[in-house]
Amino acid sequence: MESEVDYDSYLAGFQRYASCLEAEGHRPIVHDADPPMIDYSVPESAVSSGVDERCYIREFAPLDAAWQIANEDGSEWADMLRRCLAESGVNPADTLAGMEEQRAAAGISPERCLID
């Protein structure tokens, strides 16, 4: 699979994954499907039965990984880290990798950014 994936392909992969879960009697809950990331959860029964893992690997894993890597700078964690750095008086870098370096250099724990 190519390392780059567009949102339509990412969404189609998620829909196949969701259909696979539903075929096994487990309905995923989509909290937010607006780009860049789909925010969803699955019932615990889908996880404990192994259905979630089978469906995810078969239908969505490669697309999800490629999409998340390509869009990490706009991820929820990047947004939280950006706010955390700014609140700590650090002008945030443009990339997640740069912000992670800034966080570490400033001695700010990841937990602090999750709490703030």
Side-chain angles (χ1 to χ4, degrees):
M1 162 170 281
E2 292 181 22
S3 62
E4 292 185 28
V5 60
D6 63 23
Y7 186 74
D8 290 340
S9 297
Y10 169 72
L11 185 57
F14 176 78
Q15 290 168 340
R16 287 191 306 275
Y17 161 67
S19 293
C20 179
L21 288 172
E22 289 174 6
E24 296 290 330
H26 305 280
R27 186 178 189 98
I29 300 165
V30 176
H31 305 285
D32 185 0
D34 292 335
M37 305 288 177
I38 299 170
D39 180 17
Y40 69 95
S41 58
V42 295
E44 191 282 326
S45 59
V47 175
S48 64
S49 68
V51 169
D52 176 58
E53 182 178 21
R54 283 192 307 275
C55 289
Y56 181 78
I57 289 170
R58 185 174 69 223
E59 303 295 348
F60 193 42
L63 291 166
D64 190 25
W67 183 257
Q68 288 195 40
I69 289 167
N71 291 279
E72 70 182 3
D73 296 336
S75 68
E76 184 177 348
W77 171 242
D79 291 343
M80 286 191 291
L81 190 53
R82 194 172 289 112
R83 277 191 305 277
C84 182
L85 289 168
E87 290 170 0
S88 299
V90 177
N91 184 23
D94 292 334
T95 65
L96 179 60
M99 288 187 288
E100 285 286 7
E101 288 177 15
Q102 290 175 310
R103 181 197 54 74
I108 301 168
S109 72
E111 293 81 12
R112 178 174 157 200
C113 294
L114 289 171
I115 294 170
D116 287 346

